[in-house]
Amino acid sequence: ERGAAVQLESDRAEMSQATGIGVYTGNVELTHGDTIIRGDRMTVHTSQNREIERVVVEGEPANFVRAREGQQEPIRGYAPRMEYHATAPEHVRLLQGARLVQGTNEFTGETIHYDLTEERVAAEGAGERRTRITFFPRQDENAEGEDE
Amino acid sequence: MFLKRRLFPLVSLVVMAVMAWWVFDEREQPPPPTAEEQPPEETDYYARQLHLLTSGADGRWRYRLEADDMMHYPRTEHWEFDTPRLELYTEDGANWYGTAERGRAWADGDEVLLQGQVRLWRPAGETREATQLDTAEVHLQTQEHYAETDQLAVLTQESGRIEGIGARAWLDEGRIELLSRVRAHYAPQEL
């Protein structure tokens, strides 16, 4: 099955026919279905069958937002460097000090791996940047608790 | 002191006289002819169904140019041609091709300007994807195998389509820069 096309906008771009790599610089924004990624520089690697293999995103910080229909809160990710994989399983790796936020819940760590299809998170700590998860039960869960 | 007082009016009188002569003289001379008014340049020779093959100082073929009609202008030392078809020979044998509605060449063919539905392309190679660049005008430096435009440029590759305003292309390396307002569309990804 074929997903959505990947669109990019930027100030400049340099394409290499030999390597199939495209480097986009300046106010770069990538859109793929429900996912929007923003950064200062994006390097797009294409595979042998000319599909996007991965996109390396750099920014201060680079960020992404994923707003799914029916989802109350969009999920947002921040990191100086990201690797986005558009082909299945669609996922993004947040590197060099990552932060993932959904509503009031937050993950931080050296690296965060977020599976966009399964909506699963895996975080790794390193050195001082230990993994930290902050969960605030949502208001309505609280209210149900009190009614019983 | 007395001399200074007398000298000053005299000098200013002379200056004013010179200024007046210069202004009047300017007005009498006819302004230089504008480009439109210049007499159309005469061609000295004219070719039909032209096949031109040029080589560089090293004796290697640089490019082949075919055109329906070609005119040569001696005064400005340039050629003008209709529906040019171009083949640019590259070092690795992966040649570039070009077509346009019209073109002109000068500096012994080192400089070529292609205009009107300009298309430059290079077929796919073993590891290289096919690439095609479409724009309204391209200035080509045939020695350096370098092309540039300040117009909207659309780059079509198997992986996707990228457009921008202004482009620069180093044809031997197959490296193409899009200079502003870039928009890219990559084909839908397998799920």
Side-chain angles (χ1 to χ4, degrees):
Chain A
E1 190 203 338
R2 287 235 145 220
V6 175
Q7 318 262 11
L8 278 111
E9 286 188 23
S10 68
D11 292 341
R12 292 175 77 99
E14 182 174 311
M15 320 305 297
S16 165
Q17 201 191 8
T19 60
I21 291 174
V23 179
Y24 296 79
T25 51
N27 302 303
V28 193
E29 180 173 294
L30 178 149
T31 308
H32 182 213
D34 306 331
T35 307
I36 299 175
I37 304 178
R38 293 188 182 90
D40 303 327
R41 180 188 173 94
M42 289 193 198
T43 307
V44 177
H45 299 260
T46 53
S47 61
Q48 278 294 323
N49 57 2
R50 306 306 173 205
E51 282 209 336
I52 292 184
E53 208 167 50
R54 65 194 165 90
V55 180
V56 176
V57 187
E58 295 158 86
E60 291 164 11
N63 59 81
F64 85 85
V65 58
R66 169 72 170 230
R68 267 267 167 90
E69 252 171 52
Q71 205 175 39
Q72 255 188 344
E73 304 278 355
I75 193 148
R76 296 177 191 280
Y78 304 86
R81 188 180 167 86
M82 291 185 186
E83 263 191 27
Y84 172 62
H85 296 256
T87 43
E90 187 187 8
H91 62 279
V92 59
R93 284 169 53 78
L94 290 80
L95 308 157
Q96 298 169 5
R99 185 165 153 256
L100 200 67
V101 180
Q102 184 169 35
T104 51
N105 307 329
E106 182 177 275
F107 289 85
T108 57
E110 173 64 14
T111 301
I112 292 180
H113 179 105
Y114 179 58
D115 182 322
L116 288 144
T117 317
E118 304 295 332
E119 292 180 359
R120 238 193 347 246
V121 181
E124 298 161 29
E128 285 141 41
R129 258 193 212 113
R130 293 157 55 81
T131 306
R132 194 162 50 82
I133 302 169
T134 315
F135 251 112
F136 289 98
R138 271 209 303 269
Q139 286 310 324
D140 48 5
E141 277 165 14
N142 256 350
E144 275 155 37
E146 275 153 22
D147 291 348
E148 274 150 21
Chain B
M1 188 49 192
F2 173 73
L3 191 65
K4 205 179 253 179
R5 234 185 285 123
R6 257 296 164 80
L7 201 58
F8 178 72
L10 196 65
V11 165
S12 46
L13 199 67
V14 166
V15 165
M16 276 195 293
V18 166
M19 290 288 289
W21 167 78
W22 181 65
V23 164
F24 281 111
D25 182 55
E26 253 311 287
R27 210 169 294 155
E28 274 149 28
Q29 278 174 7
T34 58
E36 286 74 28
E37 289 156 356
Q38 278 181 2
E41 189 182 351
E42 296 296 326
T43 68
D44 55 357
Y45 62 80
Y46 173 90
R48 305 212 82 171
Q49 301 308 317
L50 168 83
H51 282 250
L52 183 72
L53 202 54
T54 70
S55 65
D58 57 9
R60 290 210 305 220
W61 296 125
R62 263 192 311 162
Y63 66 88
R64 181 174 52 82
L65 172 69
E66 291 175 16
D68 292 350
D69 300 307
M70 194 274 291
M71 288 145 282
H72 178 254
Y73 294 88
R75 181 156 45 87
T76 45
E77 265 302 305
H78 80 277
W79 296 265
E80 287 182 10
F81 30 81
D82 294 336
T83 58
R85 278 106 39 213
L86 201 64
E87 179 173 9
L88 264 164
Y89 296 96
T90 59
E91 279 145 22
D92 61 2
N95 297 340
W96 279 84
Y97 299 87
T99 54
E101 286 175 347
R102 61 195 176 281
R104 60 173 39 207
W106 65 98
D108 294 335
D110 284 357
E111 312 265 350
V112 175
L113 182 68
L114 298 174
Q115 292 177 304
Q117 305 212 343
V118 181
R119 171 167 290 181
L120 295 178
W121 74 93
R122 173 148 81 168
E126 247 164 59
T127 56
R128 192 192 53 244
E129 62 178 322
T131 291
Q132 174 180 299
L133 184 70
D134 288 296
T135 183
E137 180 178 285
V138 161
H139 175 204
L140 200 56
Q141 291 170 2
T142 58
Q143 291 265 22
E144 293 81 11
H145 282 180
Y146 169 77
E148 67 180 24
T149 182
D150 57 9
Q151 308 285 313
L152 170 69
V154 179
L155 185 61
T156 309
Q157 300 177 313
E158 289 157 69
S159 49
R161 179 184 182 284
I162 305 111
E163 65 177 50
I165 306 294
R168 302 194 299 194
W170 291 264
L171 300 174
D172 281 340
E173 303 164 47
R175 183 161 60 94
I176 296 170
E177 250 186 16
L178 292 163
L179 302 179
S180 70
R181 304 216 321 258
V182 172
R183 287 169 179 277
H185 175 98
Y186 285 86
Q189 303 300 292
E190 201 60 55
L191 270 189

